[in-house]
């Protein structure tokens, strides 16, 4: 069915069912944010090595040999060991991942073990560091070398693109996933907020047939508009939305100019109430195409409408 | 029977103050109003646990966290059903996922990790890896034999195998005296210089070992090839010194660190081979499950290789220059070999026997 078009392109979800029996969802991190986190880590670590080197060089406190030892060890430490240690200490988050808002979790939803952290980061050598170094050395390579390098890079980039969870080779070896770190912000309830801020909203009445047009998708799109202060401020957009809704639902009472926002708030409240009531009685109305889905859904909803 | 909220839009009464209008609110808005305080409390607890770990919570708070977590999960399941307020559901979804991670996937404790690894984990992993270890050492030995044979037949192979910066004047054209001088430390190094040398050796060798391991994922072939190549270089080198009658001296010179270092390379190759074998011969598991299973031992092999390379770099950096007698060099080198062998063969045995019988 083409109806489900909006679901297909959405973020990929990994679901865990804890013993409580209520599934919790995690969004698989996009490859862009993962690459961003990796580059950030690379920049941060090399910046630290560079600063240390500069500090030692200008400080001149230590003999040259001791400085070399320090720099060599530091440069080594900031390759694989940095990722292992930071993911161990911060439970799956390196500095770059923290900034990018992603984290590593165990694929079975339980705690991340040291083994997994080590395994996934050891594979980084073959997936990231060595190809990266070789790309810089590509100018001096023979054609065969370049072809090999290309095949290598292709192989390691195809892997995360080809599986649904976007696991790279290291993730597969270790059994880990990279997900977006959930961030929770509780926005005020629009129904409560609008009652306080837009008192004229009480002026509008809606009949059941007005509320039978739209479904959840349209309701939540309206919610997005009403929640966005930038879009609320644009009167032209609010007006056009209000006019479109009035026309579509066949609302007959006049909506005076300047009262569009109040109308939308009132409509949001009434529509949400209506749909939530339908839901309680077992009718889920996903979007405005519910009429086209056949008579079955409508007859089921009928007794509730009255 | 109609829910109280259903009748609400019909009466257009003036808005009352907040408390009085509660009865008027939508069911989902009332639902939220009643539970919001609990969610905020859980949010605060989870935020603290995320920042400072679960240890930063007191006993009562931890108990509270679990209770609030169950309630929030309950709320989430109800909200998914009754509420069309996207912001509310999104908040609960994220709050519950965070709380889930805090409750079910907390930070693993790292205490005693190294001890367990050294006494049991690594030796047991090695004893379980007979076939991959055979492959690793086979790659190295075959490489050495091939390098030696090829060099004996045609000395120009040397230039093909050995990169110039590694050879460093030690070419087939060099005189026996010069070659001898490279073995018996005429290169005068001070202590700190040696440290720099050994640290760069360690860093370089470990990188190679990790690469050899990680390449194993491509069906183990690149690991084998890279190890074979390492053997090839060594074989050619040995052939060159042997032709000049310095075979025994080079053998001693190499043994002091080489026994440890080359074993480490072969062990890293064995780790790679385990990964490759998991993909080639997954048995009854799926390939991905087999890979994940084999990775447990493979990673331990790499850690072992890393530890051995630290020791090897230390020996190569310091002892090789300080100890000049071939006998002593041989003793130290092969003594280290015996030490590794003893540790890997006998450590953590009892536990394994018990597990095997049960």
């Amino acid at each position: 069915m083409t109806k489900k078009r909006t679901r297909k392109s959405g973020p990929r979800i990994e679901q865990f069912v804890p013993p409580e029996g209520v599934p919790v969802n995690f969004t698989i991190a996009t490859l862009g944010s993962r690459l961003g986190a990796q580059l950030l880590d690379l920049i941060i670590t090399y910046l630290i090595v560079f600063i240390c080197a500069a500090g030692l060089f200008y400080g001149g406190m230590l003999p040259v040999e001791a400085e070399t030892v320090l720099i060599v060890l530091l440069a080594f430490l900031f390759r694989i060991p940095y990722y292992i240690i930071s993911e161990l200490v911060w439970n799956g988050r390196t500095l770059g991942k923290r900034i990018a808002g992603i984290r590593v979790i165990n694929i079975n939803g339980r705690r991340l073990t040291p083994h997994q952290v080590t395994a996934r980061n050891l594979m980084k050598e073959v997936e990231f560091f060595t190809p990266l170094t070789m790309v810089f050395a590509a100018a001096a390579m023979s054609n065969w070398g370049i072809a090999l390098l290309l095949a290598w890079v292709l192989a390691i980039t195809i892997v995360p693109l080809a599986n649904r969870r976007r696991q790279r080779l290291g993730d597969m070896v270790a059994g880990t996933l990279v997900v977006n770190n959930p961030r929770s912000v509780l926005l005020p309830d629009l129904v409560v907020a609008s009652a306080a801020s837009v008192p004229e909203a009480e002026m509008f009445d809606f009949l059941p047939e007005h509320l039978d047009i739209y479904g959840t998708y349209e309701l939540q799109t309206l919610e997005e508009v009403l929640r966005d202060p930038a879009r609320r401020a644009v009167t032209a957009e609010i007006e056009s939305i209000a006019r479109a809704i009035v026309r579509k639902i066949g609302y007959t009472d006049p909506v005076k100019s300047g009262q569009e926002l109040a109308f939308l708030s009132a409509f949001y409240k009434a529509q949400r109430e209506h749909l939530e009531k339908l839901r309680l009685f077992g009718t889920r109305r996903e979007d405005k195409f519910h009429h086209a889905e056949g008579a079955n859904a409508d007859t089921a909803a009928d007794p509730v409408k009255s | 029977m109609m829910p109280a909220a259903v009748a609400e839009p019909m009466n257009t009464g003036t808005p009352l103050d907040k408390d009085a209008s509660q009865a008027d609110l939508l069911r989902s808005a009332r639902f939220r109003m009643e539970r919001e305080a609990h969610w905020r409390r859980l949010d605060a607890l989870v935020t603290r646990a995320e920042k400072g770990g679960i240890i930063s919570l007191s006993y009562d708070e931890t108990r509270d966290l679990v209770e609030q977590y169950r309630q929030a999960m309950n709320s989430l399941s109800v909200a998914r059903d009754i509420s069309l307020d996207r912001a509310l559901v999104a908040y609960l979804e994220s709050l519950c996922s965070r709380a889930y991670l805090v409750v079910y996937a907390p930070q693993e404790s790292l205490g005693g990790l190294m001890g367990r690894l050294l006494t049991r984990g690594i030796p047991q992993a090695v004893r379980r890896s007979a076939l991959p270890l055979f492959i690793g050492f086979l790659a190295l030995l075959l490489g050495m034999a091939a390098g030696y044979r090829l060099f004996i037949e045609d000395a120009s192979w040397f230039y093909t195998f050995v990169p110039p910066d590694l050879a460093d004047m030690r070419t087939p054209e060099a005189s026996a005296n010069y070659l001898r001088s490279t073995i018996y430390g005429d290169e005068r190094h001070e202590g700190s210089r040696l440290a720099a040398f050994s640290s760069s050796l360690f860093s370089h060798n470990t990188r190679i070992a990790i690469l050899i391991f990680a390449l194993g994922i491509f069906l183990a072939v690149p690991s084998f090839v890279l190890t074979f190549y390492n053997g090839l270089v060594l074989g050619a080198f040995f052939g060159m010194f042997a032709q000049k009658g310095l075979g025994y001296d080079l053998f001693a010179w190499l043994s002091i660190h080489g026994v440890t270092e080359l074993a480490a390379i072969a062990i890293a190759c064995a780790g790679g081979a385990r990964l490759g074998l998991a993909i080639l011969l997954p048995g009854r598991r799926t390939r991905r499950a087999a890979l994940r299973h084999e990775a447990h031992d493979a990673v331990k092999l790499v850690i072992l290789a890393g530890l051995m390379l630290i020791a090897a770099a230390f020996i190569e950096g310091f002892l090789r220059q300080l100890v000049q007698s071939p006998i002593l060099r041989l003793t130290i080198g092969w003594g280290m070999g015996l030490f590794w062998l003893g540790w890997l063969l006998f450590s953590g045995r009892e536990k394994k026997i018990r597990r095997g019988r049960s």
Side-chain angles (χ1 to χ4, degrees):
Chain A
M1 294 283 267
T2 46
K3 297 283 157 42
K4 302 286 175 205
R5 70 213 178 286
T6 48
R7 307 280 171 275
K8 201 79 180 166
S9 59
R12 300 184 188 174
I13 300 288
E14 182 72 18
Q15 199 168 60
F16 297 116
V17 185
E20 287 78 29
V22 182
V24 288
N25 297 328
F26 289 91
T27 315
I28 309 275
T30 60
L31 289 180
S33 58
R34 293 180 66 177
L35 191 65
Q38 175 63 68
L39 291 180
L40 272 171
D41 274 326
L42 205 65
I43 292 168
I44 291 170
T45 50
Y46 276 82
L47 212 61
I48 293 175
V49 173
F50 182 75
I51 289 172
C52 285
L56 284 174
F57 183 72
Y58 285 109
M61 310 273 276
L62 293 167
V64 182
E65 284 80 13
E67 282 174 13
T68 327
V69 174
L70 270 178
I71 298 299
V72 169
L73 286 184
L74 211 58
F76 171 76
L77 202 69
F78 274 133
R79 257 171 105 115
I80 305 293
Y82 157 77
Y83 296 91
I84 296 180
I85 291 167
S86 61
E87 281 182 10
L88 272 181
V89 173
W90 288 316
N91 204 8
R93 287 168 296 173
T94 60
L95 286 174
K97 287 198 181 69
R98 287 181 153 221
I99 298 171
I102 57 180
R103 70 183 293 168
V104 184
I105 60 172
N106 192 332
I107 204 160
N108 64 14
R110 306 314 287 266
R111 58 177 79 195
L112 199 59
T113 62
H115 157 74
Q116 290 180 306
V117 170
T118 316
R120 75 186 298 280
N121 285 311
L122 281 176
M123 295 310 291
K124 214 164 233 177
E125 183 72 33
V126 76
E127 286 183 278
F128 187 72
F129 289 118
T130 309
L132 192 72
T133 333
M134 283 170 75
V135 165
F136 285 117
M141 278 157 58
S142 64
N143 287 343
W144 276 105
I146 289 174
L148 195 72
L149 179 63
L150 273 180
W152 184 341
V153 171
L154 209 65
I156 54 169
T157 36
I158 279 177
V159 172
L161 287 173
N163 67 86
R164 198 190 68 83
R165 290 159 166 160
R166 303 202 180 105
Q167 285 179 301
R168 62 178 176 86
L169 282 174
D171 287 319
M172 287 182 186
V173 170
T176 52
L177 269 184
V178 182
V179 296
N180 286 344
N181 211 6
R183 255 173 239 191
S184 30
V185 187
L186 183 51
L187 298 168
D189 195 322
L190 273 180
V191 172
V192 179
S194 71
S197 68
V198 197
E200 319 93 272
E202 301 290 332
M203 287 168 31
F204 300 97
D205 277 346
F206 296 93
L207 298 173
E209 59 262 34
H210 293 152
L211 304 175
D212 250 356
I213 309 295
Y214 289 127
T216 309
Y217 174 75
E218 289 78 23
L219 178 77
Q220 289 180 341
T221 311
L222 178 61
E223 178 187 343
E224 246 168 58
V225 175
L226 290 177
R227 278 192 191 285
D228 190 347
R231 292 174 80 178
R232 267 181 94 121
V234 184
T235 19
E237 191 183 353
I238 295 290
E239 259 175 41
S240 72
I241 294 172
R243 298 289 159 221
I245 290 177
V246 165
R247 196 174 61 241
K248 183 88 183 171
I249 67 176
Y251 190 71
T252 44
D253 293 354
V255 179
K256 286 190 208 110
S257 164
Q259 285 189 333
E260 280 87 1
L261 198 59
F263 170 78
L264 287 184
S265 301
F267 177 69
Y268 171 77
K269 184 180 178 188
Q271 181 72 72
R272 187 169 129 196
E273 184 164 26
H274 183 71
L275 289 175
E276 285 181 354
K277 190 183 73 185
L278 283 182
R279 222 175 225 224
L280 274 184
F281 285 98
T283 310
R284 280 173 175 263
R285 193 162 278 179
E286 296 303 334
D287 50 31
K288 62 184 174 188
F289 300 110
H290 61 92
H291 285 302
E293 266 169 24
N296 287 351
D298 280 352
T299 46
D302 253 348
V304 193
K305 269 186 208 164
S306 57
Chain B
M1 222 177 79
M2 276 189 146
V6 174
E8 194 267 334
M10 300 305 169
N11 50 15
T12 46
T14 51
L16 305 168
D17 65 1
K18 224 176 177 179
D19 282 341
S21 69
Q22 264 200 28
D24 271 357
L25 281 172
L26 302 191
R27 183 177 275 261
S28 59
R30 253 186 304 142
F31 166 81
R32 168 178 170 167
M33 210 167 260
E34 281 158 15
R35 290 165 181 77
E36 200 174 321
H38 290 293
W39 302 339
R40 299 251 183 224
R41 168 113 183 93
L42 177 64
D43 203 341
L45 285 174
V46 167
T47 309
R48 270 182 54 203
E50 280 173 343
K51 285 218 175 85
I54 206 96
I55 306 160
S56 64
L57 302 182
S58 70
Y59 177 76
D60 285 336
E61 283 171 328
T62 314
R63 209 180 42 193
D64 206 23
L65 170 79
V66 176
E67 236 165 65
Q68 306 282 1
Y69 163 72
R70 294 224 174 89
Q71 272 195 22
M73 285 303 241
N74 197 3
S75 301
L76 173 65
S77 123
V78 174
R80 275 178 182 158
D81 252 359
I82 70 158
S83 178
L84 291 178
D85 184 358
R86 187 189 264 174
L88 171 72
V89 178
Y91 172 77
L92 278 177
E93 293 263 7
S94 66
L95 179 65
C96 287
S97 330
R98 285 168 60 207
Y100 167 81
L101 286 181
V102 168
V103 173
Y104 284 106
Q107 174 89 50
E108 179 99 353
S109 112
L110 302 178
L113 185 69
M114 216 49 202
R116 256 179 298 143
L117 209 55
L118 289 182
T119 53
R120 291 202 301 275
I122 290 178
Q124 285 171 4
V126 169
R127 291 197 292 269
R128 278 193 296 262
S129 317
L131 176 65
L133 280 171
F134 174 72
I135 294 177
F137 280 97
L138 185 72
L140 198 66
L141 292 176
L142 278 182
M144 288 202 286
Y148 182 78
R149 286 291 305 168
L150 286 172
F151 179 84
I152 295 297
E153 271 168 27
D154 181 1
S156 65
W157 278 110
F158 184 85
Y159 300 100
T160 322
F161 299 150
V162 186
D165 54 331
L166 184 72
D168 184 29
M169 315 273 295
R170 292 173 291 182
T171 56
E173 277 79 48
S175 69
N177 274 337
Y178 174 75
L179 289 181
R180 174 179 291 278
S181 78
T182 61
I183 294 181
Y184 294 104
D186 289 358
E187 24 174 348
R188 284 279 118 206
H189 286 321
E190 302 150 33
S192 54
R193 184 77 182 280
L194 296 180
F197 180 54
S198 68
S199 68
S200 67
L201 265 177
F202 160 69
S203 154
H204 173 259
N205 288 344
T206 312
R207 215 168 277 171
I208 297 287
I210 293 176
L211 184 66
I212 287 182
F213 159 74
L215 279 172
I217 191 105
F218 299 126
L219 307 182
V221 174
S223 293
F224 191 90
V225 170
L226 211 54
T227 314
F228 183 83
Y229 173 72
N230 268 301
L232 215 57
V233 173
L234 206 70
F237 242 99
F238 189 77
M240 178 177 77
F241 279 83
Q243 263 189 345
K244 302 266 161 51
L246 289 167
Y248 169 70
D249 302 276
L250 184 82
F251 184 66
W253 182 78
L254 275 176
S255 288
I256 186 168
H257 70 282
V259 172
T260 303
E261 187 180 295
L262 295 174
I265 295 291
I267 286 171
C269 177
R274 278 206 89 135
L275 294 186
L277 286 176
I279 295 182
L280 278 174
L281 312 164
R284 312 191 66 147
R285 298 187 173 88
T286 63
R287 290 207 153 71
R288 198 179 289 198
L291 196 60
R292 219 177 322 159
H293 181 255
E294 292 295 317
H296 279 96
D297 283 350
V299 165
K300 289 191 186 109
L301 290 181
V302 189
I303 295 173
L304 170 66
L307 291 176
M308 290 173 78
L309 285 174
I310 295 177
F314 185 77
I315 298 172
E316 187 171 3
F318 290 94
L319 289 185
R320 191 171 69 178
Q321 312 294 335
L322 302 177
V323 179
Q324 294 288 338
S325 123
I327 301 287
L328 212 54
R329 281 176 172 174
L330 281 173
T331 323
I332 295 176
W334 291 98
M336 283 303 286
L338 273 182
F339 162 73
W340 297 120
L341 205 64
W343 169 43
L344 296 173
L345 281 183
F346 298 115
S347 186
R349 268 281 179 197
E350 315 81 359
K351 179 139 191 207
K352 200 195 167 206
I353 288 167
R354 225 187 305 136
R355 200 192 282 162
R357 295 261 163 90
S358 66

